[in-house]
Amino acid sequence: MERPDLSQVDPVVRGYIEHLEAELAHLRADGDEAPAEPPLVPGEPPTSLNVITLSRAGLGKRAPRHWYTRQRRGGMGLLDLEAAEGDPPAGLVIADERAHLLMITSQARAFRLPVYYLNEPATARGRPQPFLESLDLSPGETWAAALPAQTQGYLAVASVNGHVRVWPAHLFGETGRVGASVLRVDETGAPAAACWATGDSDLFLATRRGLAARFPVKSVPAPGAVGLRLEPDDALVAITAVRPDSGVFLLGADGRGSIRLMSGFSANKAPGVVGKLALKTETLVAAAAVGGGDDVFILSRLGKIIRFQASEVPAKEGVVQGVICMSLRGDHCLAAAVGHPLAAASAPA
């Protein structure tokens, strides 16, 4: 809910409201210095960018991104995906409606899926439709990771066991081999996450327990390698490309998050290391590189989405518990996506 115009309200009442707002902001900061609140944008101009929500069983939908108005960090979000019982939301992607998604399956095969193939309901709150039948999958195979397709740079794929492999992006273009294998599942485990990177960037891998590691893309050997050594009760959940001046938005299932600055998270020279604590959380669900002008979208188990400015989350060089990014009642966070609010639609990949 956006803040209404209070200019015509009695000054005493307005002063009391502003006092309550200041107290609420202080409590949400949880002892951290809260950044100055940026002004909310009344509405985003219509774009061809879509917010895509996917369920694990292969149901999905898309809706124009400008349908999702900004809230303040810590709100409850708006109802989005009408997920079926027993098949909760599992993925959140922002992509142009004219582009393709690159779908990495549970058997580590890569397929291209046109965004327009996904159902677009009349409102953001709508029922998803099956989309996996358009892919030539094996019995029991489903999707494991999804990201907007592109043809420049490198595709980095990480498995639940911490293995990572890097591929030239052009291999997954329109002329690429359909269903190309990106990992040897029998050796590495199933894919957990994927991201695009450039040759001069670093990879940031994060685990469910909030541990992470960072190392150069170029240090990953061609056959792949163990990127992050995990304890038996841990699993990799996210991979994102970063630079020395980057920040990474980290989100826990409890709705608390932080932006971890890479200036306070040193890089290793090569993969195969033990992770360092990146966020104090029982269950990390997402990690994504973020800039000060970006918006953060969070998806919950009950199919709610909240959108807020990344600049509302305090950026830290050290380990913190994070601040409340999404208020939850009998719910938990599952995924997050980052996008620039004024991003122009680029040529479809």
Side-chain angles (χ1 to χ4, degrees), residues 55-59 87 103-109 111 131-132 135 137-145 191:
S55 79
R56 182 58 65 197
L59 299 179
D87 182 27
M103 309 296 299
I104 309 297
T105 75
S106 55
Q107 294 186 14
R109 297 196 296 160
F111 294 88
F131 65 88
L132 289 180
L135 309 180
L137 303 184
S138 303
E141 186 176 12
T142 186
W143 72 278

Side-chain angles (χ1 to χ4, degrees), residues 1 10-11 27 64 102 198 201 257 322:
M1 179 178 181
D10 183 279
L27 291 172
L102 186 66
T198 59
S201 61

Side-chain angles (χ1 to χ4, degrees), residues 86-98:
D87 182 27
L92 184 64
V93 186
I94 299 175
D96 193 281
E97 64 182 7
R98 302 165 298 176

